[in-house]
Amino acid sequence: MEASFVIAKLITLVLSLVVAYLAYHGYRRNGQTPMLYVAAGFVFIGAGAICEGLIYLMFRTTIVSAALVQAAVVSSGMVLILVSLTK
């Protein structure tokens, strides 16, 4: 796997986890449930950033099936963030 691809995915993971931590900290400080949904959403987005490559390499699946799992995980995170915006 190309090193620049792995570095880009790791940067995406770290940034999403930092945002999730800040959202969780905001939830703990203010007790607002939507911030908890934002935190969970960004955790899913961060996990989705790396799961495609991991699934493809570890389980020897096709790139299409790995991308489908990645899209489902990222979409779940987006739904959680959308829910937080509607509360």
Side-chain angles (χ1 to χ4, degrees):
M1 202 178 259
E2 184 116 6
S4 60
F5 179 74
V6 172
I7 290 171
K9 290 291 189 175
L10 288 176
I11 289 171
T12 303
L13 174 66
V14 168
L15 289 174
S16 67
L17 291 179
V18 167
V19 172
Y21 170 76
L22 292 174
Y24 180 73
H25 184 66
Y27 163 73
R28 295 284 308 236
R29 185 179 45 216
N30 298 326
Q32 296 179 346
T33 307
M35 291 303 285
L36 190 59
Y37 286 109
V38 170
F42 274 100
V43 167
F44 273 80
I45 290 171
I50 62 166
C51 77
E52 181 179 13
L54 290 176
I55 290 171
Y56 179 70
L57 290 176
M58 292 177 64
F59 298 113
R60 302 282 185 210
T61 64
T62 64
I63 194 69
V64 173
S65 61
L68 183 62
V69 171
Q70 186 249 358
V73 172
V74 171
S75 295
S76 300
M78 293 293 198
V79 166
L80 286 171
I81 293 171
L82 181 64
V83 167
S84 77
L85 293 173
T86 60
K87 285 195 173 244

